[in-house]
């Protein structure tokens, strides 16, 4: 049964919760696809007979697929609606995950990860757009933060599941599991997802689409929030790309215990995102965003100090990685709500452009981390610190150019 879309004030409390949970679930496929196979990356490199850097490039391929996929899915959903693009995207994600499980080398893996990302991006983009369709702008930032609560659960379990299954069933089972989760979600989506957008007469000519994206990006009401968030968020993707190598290869932690070094990041995302929910209920968003971006600049420098000196070894790094990742829990939903506030007429394209910029930055960050042959944690922490400083610097430059 397809529930028709309705104004947000006509939703029952149960229906509202149902929608928020569904939208939250649609956003988890990217972190599941990333986090679950992190402990398997060194094993995959050995099985393929290649370097860890070659396998790390599969993360960059995934981020690139998300960026390109979102460039298409946003305008398509504004033209034809949200429901069918989400379901087609889930189908592509299933095919890509199966192809990952069957891959026989890094090139095949990269191609399969790219396909998986093309499909997986639809849920993330269009869940945000559905929120903007169904709920007034003043509620959007709070709902984004509530969705992030669901999104944040995946780092708590995905690395543990990956580490536990790896010695029992091998790394290929991790991708079969991702395909199964997506298939189940596809069935639930078919039953519960409303069509929140009736479509429009928006043209889909590539030049017209590019012009629409450029019009949004050059609007300072959008870029002043998204560009600093992308830069500081690059540190998160440096961490995701390099952490398994640091933990397993440099500090010699067995893969099945990798999840213990990762779990606090999910806890931090939950705590900080829920702090954002409470803050945004009664206070302005701009000071919270500034505090988060400035905090990550300081945290990145402290991580660099510990990476350079080696103080505390792995235990000396974990608190700073926890804080940097946790801070993203309040930065991303806050900046997303601020950036989309003025773009209700093109919520699909605005949401897609946020993802394009975020994951374009993630692709560059991941390639940069994967290009480094690290024998100590110093390269990773140095790159994370650089992202934090660039994020704060760009935010302050935008603020000086356009105060308030």
């Amino acid at each position: 049964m397809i529930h028709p879309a309705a104004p947000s004030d006509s939703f029952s409390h149960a229906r509202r919760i149902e929608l928020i949970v569904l939208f939250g679930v649609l956003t988890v496929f990217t972190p599941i696809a990333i986090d679950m196979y992190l402990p398997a990356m060194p094993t995959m490199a050995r099985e393929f007979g290649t370097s860890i850097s070659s396998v790390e490039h599969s993360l960059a391929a995934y981020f690139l697929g998300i960026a390109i996929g979102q460039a298409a899915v946003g305008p398509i959903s504004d033209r034809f609606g949200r429901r069918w693009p989400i379901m087609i995207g889930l189908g592509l994600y299933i095919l890509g995950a199966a192809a990952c499980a069957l891959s026989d080398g890094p090139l095949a893996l990269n191609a399969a990860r790219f396909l998986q990302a093309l499909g997986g991006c639809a849920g993330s983009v269009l869940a945000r757009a559905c929120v903007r369709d169904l709920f007034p702008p003043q509620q959007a930032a709070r709902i984004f933060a509530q969705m992030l609560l669901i999104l944040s659960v995946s780092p708590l379990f995905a690395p543990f599941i990956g580490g536990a299954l790896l010695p029992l069933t091998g790394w290929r089972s991790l991708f079969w599991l991702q395909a199964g989760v997506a298939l189940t979600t596809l069935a639930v989506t078919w039953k519960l997802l409303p069509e929140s957008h009736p479509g429009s007469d928006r043209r889909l000519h590539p030049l017209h689409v590019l012009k629409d994206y450029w019009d949004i990006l050059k609007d300072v009401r959008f870029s002043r929030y998204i560009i600093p968030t992308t830069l500081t968020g690059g540190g998160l993707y440096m961490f995701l790309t390099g952490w398994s190598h640091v933990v397993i290869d440099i500090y010699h932690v067995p893969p099945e215990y990798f999840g213990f070094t990762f779990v606090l990041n999910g806890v931090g995302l939950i705590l900080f995102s829920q702090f954002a929910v409470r803050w945004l209920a009664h206070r302005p968003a701009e000071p919270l965003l500034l505090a988060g971006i400035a905090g990550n600049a300081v945290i990145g420098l402290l991580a660099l100090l510990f990476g350079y000196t080696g103080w505390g070894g792995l235990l000396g790094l974990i608190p700073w990685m926890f804080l940097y990742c946790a801070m993203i829990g309040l930065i991303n939903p806050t900046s997303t709500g601020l950036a989309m506030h003025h773009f209700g007429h093109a919520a699909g394209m605005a949401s897609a452009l946020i993802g394009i910029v975020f994951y374009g930055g993630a692709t560059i960050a991941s390639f940069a981390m994967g290009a480094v042959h690290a024998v100590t944690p110093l390269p990773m922490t140095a790159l994370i610190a650089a992202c934090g400083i660039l994020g704060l610097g760009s935010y302050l430059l935008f603020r000086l150019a356009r105060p308030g």
Side-chain angles (χ1 to χ4, degrees):
M1 177 180 179
I2 299 173
H3 297 280
S8 64
D9 58 2
S10 71
F11 293 149
S12 67
H13 179 71
R15 177 60 171 154
R16 180 187 176 93
I17 296 300
E18 179 183 84
L19 286 173
I20 292 173
V21 170
L22 177 59
F23 296 148
V25 168
L26 288 170
T27 68
V28 304
F29 288 100
T30 286
I32 287 175
I34 294 168
D35 299 337
M36 187 176 288
Y37 92 128
L38 290 179
M41 291 173 73
T43 301
M44 295 167 70
R46 288 191 291 272
E47 180 174 321
F48 291 154
T50 189
S51 67
I52 186 67
S53 296
S54 296
V55 176
E56 286 176 346
H57 287 159
S58 65
L59 270 178
Y62 193 91
F63 297 144
L64 181 62
I66 294 175
I68 293 175
Q70 289 180 125
V73 77
I76 287 173
S77 74
D78 281 341
R79 175 66 177 84
F80 297 109
R82 318 295 191 206
R83 179 178 161 82
W84 277 105
I86 288 176
M87 291 191 292
I88 291 170
L90 286 170
L92 290 176
Y93 183 96
I94 294 166
L95 291 175
C100 288
L102 298 172
S103 60
D104 58 0
L107 292 180
L109 177 66
N110 290 347
R113 291 288 281 169
F114 182 83
L115 176 63
Q116 187 183 16
L118 285 178
C121 73
S124 298
V125 173
L126 299 185
R128 292 196 300 264
C130 288
V131 169
R132 186 59 185 84
D133 293 336
L134 296 173
F135 299 93
Q138 63 268 25
Q139 295 184 29
R142 291 189 67 201
I143 293 172
F144 290 141
Q146 290 167 334
M147 290 164 57
L148 190 63
L149 175 62
I150 300 169
L151 181 67
S152 302
V153 171
S154 62
L156 298 181
F157 299 104
F160 282 109
I161 293 171
L165 289 179
L166 181 61
L168 296 176
T169 57
W171 63 265
R172 297 179 190 275
S173 67
L174 308 183
F175 292 104
W176 289 120
L177 180 58
Q178 292 171 34
V181 171
L183 183 61
T184 301
T185 305
L186 178 60
V188 174
T189 300
W190 174 267
K191 179 177 177 62
L192 298 180
L193 183 69
E195 179 54 83
S196 64
H197 183 70
S200 69
D201 58 358
R202 180 182 294 276
R203 291 181 292 166
L204 292 180
H205 190 283
L207 292 180
H208 182 75
V209 170
L210 287 173
K211 180 181 181 300
D212 287 346
Y213 276 133
W214 176 246
D215 287 342
I216 297 172
L217 183 61
K218 71 180 182 181
D219 192 319
V220 72
R221 297 174 299 175
F222 182 90
S223 58
R224 67 178 296 195
Y225 302 116
I226 295 306
I227 291 176
T229 301
T230 300
L231 290 170
T232 195
L236 171 64
Y237 297 105
M238 300 287 188
F239 165 78
L240 290 173
T241 302
W243 189 240
S244 64
H245 174 59
V246 168
V247 171
I248 296 171
D249 293 334
I250 295 177
Y251 287 109
H252 308 294
V253 174
E256 56 266 33
Y257 299 122
F258 172 81
F260 290 102
T261 73
F262 203 83
V263 66
L264 285 178
N265 301 315
V267 174
L269 280 169
I270 292 171
L271 294 176
F272 279 60
S273 66
Q274 293 314 292
F275 173 79
V277 170
R278 294 181 181 277
W279 177 282
L280 294 168
H282 306 291
R283 299 177 182 86
E286 190 92 29
L288 183 64
L289 180 61
L290 174 57
I293 290 175
N296 263 0
V298 175
I299 293 163
L301 289 172
L302 289 169
L304 174 58
L305 175 63
F306 277 72
Y308 175 74
T309 62
W311 292 340
L314 180 60
L315 293 178
L317 289 176
I318 286 176
W320 309 117
M321 298 300 98
F322 161 75
L323 288 172
Y324 198 101
C325 295
M327 202 69 76
I328 301 297
L330 64 83
I331 292 172
N332 279 10
T334 305
S335 65
T336 297
L338 287 166
M340 291 188 67
H341 180 76
H342 298 284
F343 296 94
H345 62 288
M349 292 200 73
S351 178
L353 185 57
I354 290 172
I356 293 166
V357 177
F358 280 2
Y359 284 105
T363 302
I364 296 170
S366 186
F367 269 122
M369 187 69 248
V372 177
H373 180 67
V375 295
T376 74
L378 179 59
M380 183 188 73
T381 56
L383 289 168
I384 290 172
C387 289
I389 293 169
L390 288 171
L392 177 59
S394 65
Y395 180 88
L396 294 176
L397 285 174
F398 274 111
R399 187 152 185 156
L400 287 172
R402 189 184 177 100

